[in-house]
Amino acid sequence: MSCSNLYMLVSWKSPIQETQSLSFQSHLNPFPTLPNVSSPNTHIQSLSIRCGIRELRDRINTVKNTQKVTEAMKLVAAARVRRAQESVINGRPFSETLVDVLYSINEQLQLEDVDVPLTIVRPVKKVALVVITGDKGLCGGFNNAMLRKAETRIEELTKIGLDYTVISVGKKGNSYFLRRPNVPVDRLIEIGSFPTTKEAQMIADDVFSLFVSEEVDKVELLYTKFVSLIKSDPVIQTLLPLSAKGEVCDSNGKCVDASEDEFFRLTTKDGQLAVERDSVRAKKEGLLPNMEFEQDPVQILDALMPLYLNNQILRALQESLASELSARMNAMRNATDNAVELKKTLLNSYNRERQAKITGEILEIVAGAEAFL
């Protein structure tokens, strides 16, 4: 390509121009478009990143630092969700068997004239909602899904003319209900990083006192059920009175017991975190029909009902924690992937701007040499 052709490529004007004007135009835009020709990619070019080289370099460094943070948070959540998942899966058989035992004892008591306070079904006038949320954010739509479930249930109770009160567990739920003075809140509770029986007993005592004193006629537990690493469902479980079906049911009588558990192992593949999944069907065996209880069924039921409350609340806390950690792991993984894509886009723009600047400087040198010829 001759010098005159290079000159025409830069200016798109007549070759008879002043040197200063040529230098100024090539510095602004070394590859300008024709003034009267509409390009079909004009809209696409307007959406591209247009910054200086220094600004692009700063943005690339910022994205790299953000990627390091999200990658670290993903690894921390993945390590913690393993422990939380083991607690959930190991505790499910005991919880389901306990409910079956209580159901069998309750069936025997139906034939006798015995009243157990926590199994009495009264006409429902007021409902207590125990809403379990997380303590932190950066976990996708985990907390929002649970709070939407609670708002939907509150609207349903309001439409049918029932009163309600809320027992909020978790910082996100506490802050949410504090901003809504029209929602009656009985108590705000905060738990630690991993739920314990002591924290579950504190919630169970409050629920027990509300139900026995007949301040509420029904207690519902709202939590996020852990299904797998990529799926969790907000559910509503009827906690009190004890279900007559011998299973954990929701407000509509639908069983919310897990029918399938997912085990996974954390591995590395090509230097990156990988997950291997294995699904196992949960085995549920009923009690023997000829089982006999030596003690009085009333005494057994009175001893097991506090254990039932504590166990069901602890199970809900563990399920919610496992769901929160899996949601955070997935959210941080998506954020890391987005950071990688954004870094590639910024690097392409940075290289394009750098190449355009170098090309413009070369064209200025060639145009200056052409002017002296």
Side-chain angles (χ1 to χ4, degrees):
M1 181 181 291
S2 63
C3 295
S4 60
N5 291 335
L6 287 174
Y7 183 86
M8 292 293 294
L9 181 63
V10 173
S11 63
W12 295 102
K13 294 182 180 180
S14 175
I16 305 176
Q17 295 284 347
E18 295 182 358
T19 305
Q20 295 179 354
S21 176
L22 173 63
S23 175
F24 178 74
Q25 292 172 359
S26 61
H27 178 71
L28 285 179
N29 189 358
F31 299 103
T33 57
L34 290 172
N36 296 326
V37 178
S38 59
S39 175
N41 298 326
T42 305
H43 180 66
I44 299 177
Q45 292 178 357
S46 63
L47 297 178
S48 62
I49 301 175
R50 294 183 178 274
C51 298
I53 295 180
R54 181 177 299 177
E55 288 80 2
L56 285 173
R57 190 185 299 116
D58 293 340
R59 291 187 64 181
I60 292 173
N61 293 333
T62 302
V63 172
K64 286 182 179 179
N65 295 333
T66 304
Q67 180 184 352
K68 293 178 182 179
V69 173
T70 55
E71 182 72 22
M73 293 185 66
K74 182 187 73 174
L75 295 177
V76 171
R80 293 185 61 194
V81 75
R82 173 66 179 180
R83 176 182 171 187
Q85 185 206 27
E86 290 178 350
S87 301
V88 169
I89 295 178
N90 294 335
R92 278 174 178 171
F94 173 77
S95 177
E96 295 172 0
T97 304
L98 177 61
V99 174
D100 290 337
V101 171
L102 290 175
Y103 167 66
S104 299
I105 300 175
N106 193 24
E107 273 190 336
Q108 295 184 11
L109 291 179
Q110 300 299 325
L111 304 177
E112 304 176 7
D113 189 13
V114 178
D115 293 334
V116 179
L118 298 182
T119 61
I120 299 176
V121 180
R122 301 189 296 262
V124 179
K125 299 179 181 178
K126 189 174 183 179
V127 180
L129 303 177
V130 183
V131 183
I132 301 177
T133 58
D135 289 337
K136 299 178 182 178
L138 297 178
C139 51
F142 169 78
N143 292 311
N144 291 334
M146 187 70 260
L147 293 174
R148 283 197 302 268
K149 189 77 171 180
E151 287 289 348
T152 303
R153 185 57 179 164
I154 289 174
E155 292 177 0
E156 293 175 356
L157 295 175
T158 304
K159 287 182 180 179
I160 60 179
L162 295 179
D163 295 332
Y164 62 90
T165 184
V166 175
I167 300 175
S168 178
V169 181
K171 293 182 180 179
K172 290 297 181 179
N174 295 348
S175 61
Y176 177 83
F177 290 111
L178 283 176
R179 295 193 300 268
R180 285 157 179 79
N182 58 331
V183 177
V185 178
D186 180 77
R187 190 174 182 182
L188 301 176
I189 301 175
E190 296 183 3
I191 59 176
S193 57
F194 277 97
T196 60
T197 55
K198 182 178 179 181
E199 296 167 341
Q201 186 63 45
M202 178 177 58
I203 303 173
D205 292 341
D206 194 10
V207 169
F208 179 83
S209 61
L210 288 176
F211 189 81
V212 172
S213 62
E214 299 186 1
E215 294 184 25
V216 298
D217 303 308
K218 186 179 181 182
V219 179
E220 295 180 353
L221 194 59
L222 286 77
Y223 66 97
T224 305
K225 176 184 174 183
F226 177 78
V227 180
S228 65
L229 289 178
I230 58 176
K231 183 180 179 182
S232 57
D233 299 326
V235 297
I236 304 177
Q237 170 188 335
T238 300
L239 188 62
L240 290 175
L242 180 63
S243 173
K245 296 182 180 180
E247 57 188 15
V248 179
C249 300
D250 61 7
S251 58
N252 299 321
K254 181 180 178 181
C255 178
V256 296
D257 286 336
S259 60
E260 190 176 50
D261 291 331
E262 183 190 65
F263 293 88
F264 74 94
R265 293 187 300 108
L266 296 178
T267 60
T268 55
K269 184 177 180 180
D270 298 331
Q272 298 294 330
L273 179 69
V275 175
E276 294 183 0
R277 296 182 175 88
D278 185 18
S279 297
V280 178
R281 190 74 180 179
K283 297 181 180 180
K284 187 174 182 180
E285 300 178 357
L287 298 178
L288 296 177
N290 57 352
M291 181 176 292
E292 296 181 359
F293 299 95
E294 294 182 357
Q295 295 181 345
D296 185 9
V298 178
Q299 297 179 359
I300 299 177
L301 200 59
D302 288 340
L304 290 181
M305 284 305 295
L307 179 61
Y308 162 77
L309 285 177
N310 195 343
N311 176 261
Q312 292 298 317
I313 294 176
L314 179 61
R315 173 187 174 182
L317 293 174
Q318 292 173 343
E319 297 252 6
S320 180
L321 177 63
S323 302
E324 178 187 359
L325 292 175
S326 62
R328 180 171 294 112
M329 183 182 67
N330 293 327
M332 292 300 101
R333 181 178 58 192
N334 294 334
T336 302
D337 295 341
N338 293 337
V340 172
E341 294 297 327
L342 181 58
K343 184 173 67 174
K344 290 181 180 179
T345 304
L346 291 173
L347 282 175
N348 290 335
S349 300
Y350 174 78
N351 293 332
R352 191 178 297 111
E353 291 290 334
R354 183 169 174 270
Q355 184 179 5
K357 183 178 179 180
I358 295 174
T359 305
E361 293 176 354
I362 294 176
L363 292 177
E364 286 185 3
I365 295 174
V366 173
E370 180 75 12
F372 287 103
L373 293 179

